[in-house]
Amino acid sequence: MSKIRILSKENIQSVFTLSMALEAVEQAYREKDSCQGEVWPMVFHEFDPGHADLDIKSGNLNSEGVFGLKLVSWFGDNPSRGLPALHGTSLLFDLATGEPKAMLNAGPITDYRTGAAGALGVKYLARKDAKHLLMAGCGALAPYLIAAVLLVRPDLEHIQLVNPHHPAHAEQRLGDITQKVQSLLAPCGAALSVPISASENVEQSVRESDIILTATPSCAPMIDAAWVRPGTHFSCVGSDMAGKQEISSDIFVGAQVFGDDIAQCLSVGECEKPYQEGKLKQLCGEIGGVISGRLTGRRSDGEITIFDSTGIALQDLSSAVTILKAAEQSGIGILADV
Amino acid sequence: MSKIRILSKENIQSVFTLSMALEAVEQAYREKDSCQGEVWPMVFHEFDPGHADLDIKSGNLNSEGVFGLKLVSWFGDNPSRGLPALHGTSLLFDLATGEPKAMLNAGPITDYRTGAAGALGVKYLARKDAKHLLMAGCGALAPYLIAAVLLVRPDLEHIQLVNPHHPAHAEQRLGDITQKVQSLLAPCGAALSVPISASENVEQSVRESDIILTATPSCAPMIDAAWVRPGTHFSCVGSDMAGKQEISSDIFVGAQVFGDDIAQCLSVGECEKPYQEGKLKQLCGEIGGVISGRLTGRRSDGEITIFDSTGIALQDLSSAVTILKAAEQSGIGILADV
């Protein structure tokens, strides 16, 4: 009889850190580049378009000897019933035998690995002398993105928060987000030494930024190409289904664009619209190629770089393996017969 | 925090019966026919063609307010390492909120629901006066199919066992299969009162049969059209991936053919080859339509009927819900925080 380890949200939060997520996601991207990791076709289902949907992402990660899946559902009416809108569950299996190894609450995994993804775009594509970070979007992911970027770029000088759809919201969320950034940095042995401020003026904030992170559910561009200064880097993590768009398609003209999975970026990512409109001819490649050194990322200080992070199964798998190893060492979670 | 119920193989075997599986699968087929149940795109991945593969089947079942998935992997080399070749895991979620409800070992579910599927083909398509049942294939599924058919057709007079690929195997397996049939019937309040015998002569056995069940991994027809007598019913459950075939395409000419999911039958089921060869123009419909009374199944005592069971997510979901309810009542399994 097999034993499977069940790891709750609290279990995962007690062993997983953003530093571990950065390493896990970097490994996932590298393995995708070397074809050691494979992404299988995604299942996407809308229960009620615009109100409830889900996706199932799956794949295999050869270096760690695992395959697995993550099912994430979004029920927009849940918060009005006192429930989280998102629920996620991951399953991990042994790649040599098919035996189940672990079931994990994928909620925290998604937060950490998405923050790490955006930060890896910054690490490999942003100018070395970047000082000003703009976080567009004040939802649950914002602190994960900010903290992860601070871990890869500790010499930033200023962080600004905007909420393009509800400008006043940035100021309201500033305290909570700052506190969460601190609590995410602490277990990584880092501290927040950079001021974070909120702004209601998206245009002005964009004009002052070197690095822009976007994490909104936007379906229409909220950042205009005319506002963007030369050399800016974008990590866009909000677009993960057809029809979403966060930044103007004009920004893609002449930009160096990388994605996590080219096919997925063109079908459901930030690249979808610019590609359809002919403003993006093709991506330069996948970020894994830049990480492995096979592809050149940024070529000059003056060009715009864009990382389109749509989210791939390998990030989740790699993170889940890291968590499972830590949980096994600490003996946490429930070991159940299956 | 959500609680999820973890149900092991032993847990499931202690509460689930073939009678419950027959009811659950019949309901699943009926819901598919009334569009209350939906099957989402299947993920199929071959790790090593012919040696290791897996599929992920998922969908929603509205009447029970659930959605879910089942991942089943097959690693052909496992038995030589003392491990089962098949591993299966099911997840069940609340259709109103997305909250996880249960994780189940899908191994026993697959056995029970596949046995029930084959038997429902018999229940709705075989002649009322059928007396002779032939089981082609002596693997793990054989006793589930035989026992389930006995539950829907208790007036059968004789059961014969053949193994077309290893003729002598039928005799060797006879004792074990008979014993397993008895142990599957007992919890349903039934007993084995029909003789089961083994034969090495497939042709002669086919010539004597009214109902033929096929459950083999065959990739070439093992039953010839010339052997089949008028009025015979086939329930074919072995073909579940492209390239498999158990019975001659000629048997489909003029037959009344039903499937569990038309698209899946034509792409990976027993219907695939006859359809490609032009010997099957189209299916008469899905078995759910016959169960609901919307479609006519058998029209005369003389015609051949075929049920192509490829296996759909709704069978697993409906079975999992039945098991979960029974487990909740009995208080079995592990309740884990997620």
Side-chain angles (χ1 to χ4, degrees):
Chain A
M1 186 185 288
S2 308
K3 294 255 182 205
I4 182 166
R5 193 173 292 265
I6 315 293
L7 294 170
S8 70
K9 187 176 172 181
E10 282 66 24
N11 292 151
I12 293 168
Q13 285 167 337
S14 74
V15 294
F16 201 41
T17 67
L18 269 175
S19 302
M20 291 159 77
L22 281 163
E23 255 186 65
V25 175
E26 192 163 323
Q27 186 197 343
Y29 289 152
R30 199 180 279 119
E31 286 209 38
K32 183 164 192 303
D33 185 60
S34 64
C35 299
Q36 287 300 297
E38 285 174 276
V39 172
W40 307 340
M42 182 170 82
V43 177
F44 176 71
H45 181 76
E46 284 187 297
F47 295 106
D48 182 4
H51 294 275
D53 58 49
L54 68 70
D55 61 49
I56 304 171
K57 289 177 173 170
S58 54
N60 56 284
L61 199 63
N62 294 357
S63 68
E64 296 291 348
V66 296
F67 67 89
L69 63 83
K70 182 177 83 164
L71 183 150
V72 172
S73 65
W74 173 76
F75 284 77
D77 291 342
N78 272 2
S80 68
R81 293 180 282 196
L83 291 170
L86 290 169
H87 280 102
T89 306
S90 280
L91 291 175
L92 212 55
F93 301 86
D94 188 308
L95 187 58
T97 65
E99 285 177 295
K101 290 168 71 87
M103 187 189 77
L104 305 91
N105 184 326
I109 300 180
T110 304
D111 293 338
Y112 280 86
R113 67 85 152 146
T114 308
L120 289 169
V122 172
K123 178 176 174 184
Y124 287 98
L125 297 173
R127 288 167 57 144
K128 297 292 171 218
D129 61 352
K131 298 293 175 208
H132 294 269
L133 170 68
L134 175 62
M135 175 73 241
C138 299
L141 285 172
Y144 291 87
L145 283 157
I146 295 170
V149 170
L150 283 170
L151 289 172
V152 300
R153 289 294 174 98
D155 48 355
L156 286 178
E157 290 179 359
H158 184 233
I159 299 168
Q160 200 147 43
L161 207 58
V162 293
N163 190 339
H165 299 101
H166 306 281
H169 198 215
E171 183 66 39
Q172 291 160 25
R173 290 275 296 145
L174 180 61
D176 282 353
I177 288 175
T178 304
Q179 205 174 350
K180 183 72 183 170
V181 169
Q182 288 167 327
S183 75
L184 288 167
L185 289 174
C188 303
L192 178 62
S193 56
V194 184
I196 307 184
S197 61
S199 165
E200 297 198 6
N201 190 329
V202 180
E203 176 177 345
Q204 193 189 328
S205 300
V206 170
R207 288 187 183 278
E208 293 166 3
S209 300
D210 307 309
I211 298 170
I212 300 176
L213 310 173
T214 62
T216 70
S218 183
C219 286
M222 53 192 188
I223 295 177
D224 203 280
W227 309 342
V228 180
R229 59 182 185 187
T232 299
H233 168 75
F234 288 87
S235 282
C236 303
V237 313
S239 293
D240 60 354
M241 57 187 284
K244 287 192 179 176
Q245 185 175 23
E246 303 195 274
I247 68 175
S248 166
S249 296
D250 293 328
I251 299 173
F252 284 78
V253 178
Q256 283 281 95
V257 184
F258 294 87
D260 49 6
D261 178 283
I262 290 177
Q264 198 164 289
C265 292
L266 292 175
S267 60
V268 301
E270 190 63 26
C271 291
E272 181 205 359
K273 293 276 182 71
Y275 183 67
Q276 284 174 356
E277 294 165 9
K279 288 174 179 167
L280 168 66
K281 298 299 177 202
Q282 59 180 359
L283 282 84
C284 300
E286 294 180 353
I287 192 78
V290 181
I291 293 172
S292 73
R294 204 174 52 74
L295 301 175
T296 303
R298 169 176 293 275
R299 298 165 306 179
S300 76
D301 277 354
E303 73 185 351
I304 306 290
T305 52
I306 301 173
F307 173 48
D308 182 3
S309 162
T310 58
I312 57 174
L314 305 183
Q315 293 169 258
D316 300 301
L317 279 175
S318 182
S319 301
V321 169
T322 301
I323 292 164
L324 179 60
K325 285 180 185 168
E328 284 171 347
Q329 274 201 328
S330 316
I332 64 164
I334 292 174
L335 261 188
D337 289 328
V338 285
Chain B
M1 186 186 287
S2 308
K3 293 255 182 205
I4 183 167
R5 193 173 291 264
I6 315 293
L7 294 169
S8 70
K9 187 176 173 184
E10 282 66 24
N11 292 151
I12 293 168
Q13 285 167 336
S14 74
V15 294
F16 201 41
T17 67
L18 269 176
S19 301
M20 291 159 78
L22 281 162
E23 255 186 65
V25 176
E26 192 163 322
Q27 185 197 343
Y29 289 153
R30 198 181 279 120
E31 286 208 38
K32 183 164 195 302
D33 184 59
S34 64
C35 299
Q36 287 299 297
E38 285 173 277
V39 172
W40 306 340
M42 182 170 83
V43 177
F44 176 71
H45 182 76
E46 284 187 297
F47 295 105
D48 182 5
H51 293 275
D53 58 49
L54 69 69
D55 60 49
I56 304 171
K57 289 177 173 170
S58 55
N60 56 284
L61 199 63
N62 294 357
S63 68
E64 297 291 348
V66 297
F67 67 88
L69 63 82
K70 182 177 83 165
L71 183 152
V72 172
S73 66
W74 173 75
F75 284 76
D77 291 343
N78 273 1
S80 68
R81 292 179 281 195
L83 290 171
L86 290 169
H87 280 102
T89 306
S90 280
L91 291 174
L92 211 55
F93 301 86
D94 189 308
L95 187 58
T97 64
E99 286 177 294
K101 290 168 72 85
M103 187 189 78
L104 305 91
N105 183 325
I109 301 180
T110 304
D111 293 338
Y112 280 87
R113 66 83 153 150
T114 307
L120 289 169
V122 172
K123 178 177 174 184
Y124 286 98
L125 297 173
R127 287 167 58 145
K128 296 294 170 214
D129 61 351
K131 298 295 176 207
H132 294 269
L133 170 68
L134 175 63
M135 177 70 242
C138 298
L141 284 171
Y144 291 87
L145 283 158
I146 295 170
V149 170
L150 283 170
L151 289 172
V152 301
R153 291 293 174 99
D155 49 355
L156 286 178
E157 289 179 0
H158 184 234
I159 298 167
Q160 200 148 43
L161 207 58
V162 294
N163 189 338
H165 299 102
H166 306 281
H169 198 216
E171 183 65 38
Q172 292 160 24
R173 290 276 295 146
L174 181 61
D176 283 353
I177 288 176
T178 304
Q179 205 175 350
K180 183 72 182 171
V181 169
Q182 288 167 327
S183 75
L184 288 167
L185 290 174
C188 304
L192 178 63
S193 56
V194 183
I196 307 183
S197 61
S199 166
E200 295 198 8
N201 190 329
V202 180
E203 177 178 344
Q204 193 189 327
S205 300
V206 169
R207 289 187 183 277
E208 293 166 1
S209 299
D210 307 309
I211 298 170
I212 300 176
L213 309 173
T214 61
T216 70
S218 182
C219 287
M222 53 191 188
I223 295 177
D224 202 280
W227 309 341
V228 180
R229 61 182 185 187
T232 298
H233 168 75
F234 288 87
S235 282
C236 303
V237 313
S239 293
D240 59 353
M241 58 186 283
K244 287 193 179 176
Q245 185 175 22
E246 304 194 274
I247 67 175
S248 167
S249 297
D250 294 328
I251 300 172
F252 283 79
V253 178
Q256 283 280 96
V257 183
F258 294 87
D260 50 6
D261 178 283
I262 290 177
Q264 200 164 289
C265 292
L266 291 175
S267 60
V268 302
E270 190 62 28
C271 291
E272 181 206 357
K273 292 277 181 72
Y275 182 67
Q276 284 173 357
E277 295 165 8
K279 288 175 180 168
L280 168 67
K281 298 297 177 202
Q282 59 179 357
L283 282 83
C284 299
E286 293 180 355
I287 192 78
V290 180
I291 293 172
S292 73
R294 204 173 52 75
L295 302 175
T296 303
R298 169 177 292 275
R299 297 166 307 178
S300 76
D301 277 356
E303 74 186 352
I304 304 291
T305 53
I306 301 173
F307 174 48
D308 182 2
S309 163
T310 57
I312 57 174
L314 305 184
Q315 294 169 255
D316 300 300
L317 279 175
S318 183
S319 301
V321 170
T322 300
I323 292 164
L324 179 59
K325 285 180 185 169
E328 284 171 347
Q329 273 201 328
S330 316
I332 64 166
I334 291 173
L335 261 187
D337 289 328
V338 286

